[in-house]
Amino acid sequence: MNNIKQLEVLAPVGDQERLGAALDFGADAVYLGGQMFGMRAGAAKFDPETLRNGVEYAHAKGVRVYLTCNTVPSNDEIELLPEFIKTAYDCGIDAAIVSDIGCI
């Protein structure tokens, strides 16, 4: 039985410029944040249009895109979560990185 696993180079990207750099330098996958529900407060966020463009660009290069959804939504935010996730999946993300089981 072969227990060797394929390694994946996963790069954080905060904006289109960093996305391009990660793709140019061989990332197998990238993770990024949307305008809500992400912990990287200092990073630029991807709005639906830039997310869709970024996903299309990454997929054209064979790179997967993971969206961070790693905050615990407050009571005021929780009603916005389903639409946020639906929009992200409509943009073509490959997976979401979540920290709160309630987000799943």
Side-chain angles (χ1 to χ4, degrees):
M1 176 180 225
N2 184 354
N3 288 329
I4 298 174
K5 301 201 186 260
Q6 179 70 30
L7 296 178
E8 177 180 72
V9 175
L10 175 62
V13 297
D15 57 31
Q16 293 286 72
E17 181 181 355
R18 285 161 186 81
L19 173 62
L23 300 180
D24 289 343
F25 288 97
D28 299 305
V30 296
Y31 68 93
L32 49 81
Q35 293 179 306
M36 300 180 72
F37 305 109
M39 293 183 76
R40 297 185 70 216
K45 308 284 195 266
F46 284 77
D47 62 30
E49 182 181 347
T50 56
L51 179 60
R52 182 176 309 282
N53 293 338
V55 169
E56 289 174 1
Y57 181 47
H59 285 173
K61 292 190 169 253
V63 173
R64 290 172 299 284
V65 178
Y66 307 145
L67 177 75
T68 59
C69 186
N70 54 355
T71 62
V72 177
S74 69
N75 289 340
D76 295 337
E77 296 172 327
I78 198 69
E79 290 181 5
L80 303 173
L81 182 63
E83 184 62 28
F84 174 78
I85 295 295
K86 181 184 181 317
T87 298
Y89 277 98
D90 288 346
C91 288
I93 66 166
D94 297 287
I97 299 170
V98 299
S99 60
D100 179 16
I101 192 73
C103 292
I104 296 174

